[in-house]
Amino acid sequence: MLEKDISDFFTYLKSVNTSQKFLEKCYHKNDIANASKMSYENSYRFLYYLEHGLHFYDTGNSSSMVVKPILYFYGMVHLLKACLLTRKPDYPENTTMLAHGVTTRKRKKQQYSFLQDEVKIQYKGLFPYFSQHLFNIKHIPFEKINMEKLLISIPELNNLFYFHRNENAQIKIGDLHSKLLHFPNNILDTYHLTENKFIEKLSKFLPNFEKTQLHDSSFTLKLSSELIPSSQGPIYFHGDHHAFYLPTNRNNFMTSHEVMHHYLLLYNLSMICRYETEWWGDLLHTLPTEDYPFIKHFLSITAKKTPFLLGVFLLNEKEG
């Protein structure tokens, strides 16, 4: 399942007929009553959510960095709503679900650091709603979280963290279409766990497996089935390397989905674009802090990766 598979699948969905058939299959799979009727009623809405969402991304790709976060954020929101229609045909059930589901704190005018900025999760709104219904995360594992921790969860930023911090934020543990996951023994030190406890910690996030010791310096897990590139924590998918990565430090071990992290980052950046114009202008024109390379690189990654990951979700709904 690669980028071209997702692109082809989005093309397949670009008609009312195919969207209706796709939704009907999703509704039957999820035991939703009146699947045929509901899929017919939602087919245009689903199609327009996809079409408008991808158009926001295309426009963002050709736009100045000044407005990219806003365009990518609303592109993501439209794609999320399309995904929600596959499981919640009555979405939105009430107006509280139309809120973003997250807030930003007041910013200090001086010494502000994006990497250390935080967002706070709300009990109602789109963020907790899609986290539950798309990724089965009923309880968000954090009440607030800073931007650096969210960025660390994105494997494509690993090199940038290495250049800035002189250490890897994540390590590669396996390849797409392989059933083998490899772990260096020294990861046990950063997690402060024995090998058995470490494997036990990971086991709930993996298909059935057996352990095989290959070298003195590492151990390997052989899975019963291949991992799919969904990027569900704690194992995240590197889209450029077609590989799976794990945070190197236990403090960055998270079980939330990477899509959730992109949403929070884009929400915060889109708010900065709109309401912190002076800081945003200084960032783009004078490049004063290390925030700039992280934000710039993140925007180039999320432009491709968020549509890909949500496309993976939709394709899995069809094939599941």
Side-chain angles (χ1 to χ4, degrees):
M1 188 185 298
L2 301 176
E3 290 84 352
K4 188 175 187 308
D5 299 319
I6 302 305
S7 177
D8 289 346
F9 186 58
F10 279 138
T11 300
Y12 160 78
L13 291 172
K14 285 184 177 179
S15 78
V16 176
N17 179 268
T18 51
S19 289
Q20 189 270 324
K21 288 179 179 177
F22 169 68
L23 286 176
E24 185 172 6
K25 181 172 183 179
C26 292
Y27 295 161
H28 280 302
K29 186 181 78 168
N30 292 311
D31 297 321
I32 293 171
N34 302 314
S36 180
K37 176 176 178 288
M38 297 301 294
S39 63
Y40 178 78
E41 291 178 353
N42 281 329
S43 56
Y44 277 99
R45 196 152 58 109
F46 174 80
L47 180 61
Y48 290 147
Y49 278 146
L50 282 183
E51 183 181 274
H52 294 175
L54 294 173
H55 186 67
F56 269 114
Y57 276 100
D58 288 341
T59 304
N61 293 340
S62 59
S63 297
S64 162
M65 189 171 163
V66 174
V67 294
K68 280 182 186 290
I70 300 171
L71 295 167
Y72 291 155
F73 178 69
Y74 283 106
M76 182 179 194
V77 166
H78 278 75
L79 295 185
L80 284 167
K81 289 178 178 179
C83 292
L84 282 169
L85 280 181
T86 66
R87 293 188 174 180
K88 303 296 290 183
D90 294 321
Y91 173 82
E93 291 91 331
N94 58 65
T95 55
T96 62
M97 296 171 189
L98 299 177
H100 291 125
V102 57
T103 59
T104 57
R105 66 183 181 182
K106 270 193 171 181
R107 301 185 206 292
K108 295 179 180 178
K109 294 299 181 182
Q110 302 199 0
Q111 309 301 319
Y112 169 73
S113 165
F114 175 76
L115 291 180
Q116 299 311 312
D117 194 12
E118 294 180 332
V119 291
K120 186 175 181 181
I121 310 306
Q122 301 294 295
Y123 292 110
K124 294 181 180 179
L126 180 59
F127 180 75
Y129 190 82
F130 83 71
S131 298
Q132 176 180 351
H133 294 294
L134 299 187
F135 307 124
N136 301 314
I137 297 175
K138 295 182 179 179
H139 303 288
I140 308 298
F142 44 82
E143 291 184 3
K144 58 183 179 180
I145 191 166
N146 77 8
M147 300 298 99
E148 182 169 342
K149 188 163 185 176
L150 293 171
L151 291 167
I152 282 173
S153 72
I154 301 173
E156 291 88 345
L157 282 164
N158 196 39
N159 282 346
L160 196 55
F161 273 105
Y162 181 80
F163 296 146
H164 280 265
R165 307 286 193 267
N166 203 32
E167 60 182 12
N168 287 311
Q170 298 203 27
I171 55 165
K172 177 183 172 181
I173 59 171
D175 293 302
L176 188 63
H177 305 312
S178 171
K179 295 182 180 180
L180 299 178
L181 298 181
H182 307 284
F183 303 89
N185 284 341
N186 61 14
I187 199 170
L188 303 176
D189 298 329
T190 59
Y191 274 75
H192 308 298
L193 293 171
T194 64
E195 183 179 299
N196 287 337
K197 287 293 184 182
F198 177 80
I199 293 173
E200 182 182 331
K201 184 179 182 72
L202 277 184
S203 62
K204 64 185 74 172
F205 308 105
L206 298 171
N208 293 332
F209 61 86
E210 61 183 30
K211 185 183 76 171
T212 56
Q213 190 79 35
L214 294 184
H215 305 287
D216 292 338
S217 61
S218 66
F219 57 95
T220 299
L221 302 183
K222 184 176 182 181
L223 308 178
S224 60
S225 59
E226 297 174 6
L227 295 178
I228 61 171
S230 68
S231 241
Q232 173 77 47
I235 296 172
Y236 295 102
F237 181 70
H238 194 307
D240 296 330
H241 296 171
H242 297 156
F244 297 98
Y245 279 65
L246 182 76
T248 56
N249 192 296
R250 67 181 295 172
N251 294 329
N252 298 319
F253 184 94
M254 293 197 289
T255 59
S256 40
H257 198 285
E258 189 180 336
V259 164
M260 298 164 62
H261 305 167
H262 285 251
Y263 181 92
L264 296 175
L265 285 159
L266 283 174
Y267 169 79
N268 199 11
L269 285 171
S270 70
M271 294 294 284
I272 292 171
C273 283
R274 285 175 283 177
Y275 303 115
E276 295 292 333
T277 310
E278 184 178 355
W279 186 88
W280 186 241
D282 285 345
L283 177 82
L284 299 184
H285 297 296
T286 64
L287 319 180
T289 69
E290 68 176 2
D291 287 336
Y292 178 79
F294 280 101
I295 291 172
K296 181 176 174 58
H297 197 27
F298 164 71
L299 289 173
S300 70
I301 294 165
T302 196
K304 297 185 299 181
K305 195 169 189 183
T306 301
F308 170 75
L309 291 176
L310 292 176
V312 169
F313 172 85
L314 290 172
L315 188 55
N316 285 339
E317 290 295 284
K318 184 180 190 301
E319 296 179 345

